[in-house]
Amino acid sequence: MRAGMIDLFLSAPWNELYGFFTKGQPPLVFQVLLLNSVFCALFMARRLRNARTMRHETAITVQSLLILANALVMFRDDLGIARF
């Protein structure tokens, strides 16, 4: 029998996820929040300046860099990347 989406949501190991995002100094959740806030501020500054629309390829590249940066922040201990 296939589990519904709500069943998958309820059976998720939320305590492990909470532990994952609260580890570190500062906590990982704040590091990710800061990184995403920087990208958001750059986006808003660009909109306020009425800059030309990015080419599709450039927009995809920026989005990919944001995903990669988030992954590096979250998994830097596993990858052996030094902390700042």
Side-chain angles (χ1 to χ4, degrees):
M1 179 178 196
R2 290 180 48 189
M5 289 299 289
I6 195 72
D7 294 330
L8 291 173
F9 180 80
L10 294 174
S11 66
W14 294 110
N15 59 338
E16 292 175 17
L17 190 61
Y18 177 80
F20 177 76
F21 279 111
T22 56
K23 72 178 181 180
Q25 192 62 26
L28 185 60
V29 68
F30 292 122
Q31 295 174 36
V32 172
L33 180 64
L34 177 66
L35 176 67
N36 288 305
S37 296
V38 167
F39 271 84
C40 184
L42 292 172
F43 172 76
M44 286 189 296
R46 212 177 132 69
R47 292 287 253 179
L48 288 173
R49 285 189 355 223
N50 291 323
R52 286 188 7 232
T53 304
M54 280 190 213
R55 292 180 309 144
H56 178 73
E57 295 81 16
T58 306
I60 294 295
T61 301
V62 170
Q63 291 172 355
S64 300
L65 287 173
L66 179 59
I67 292 170
L68 178 64
N70 277 304
L72 289 175
V73 166
M74 288 190 286
F75 301 113
R76 82 170 146 228
D77 291 340
D78 298 333
L79 297 172
I81 299 172
R83 293 191 170 273
F84 299 108

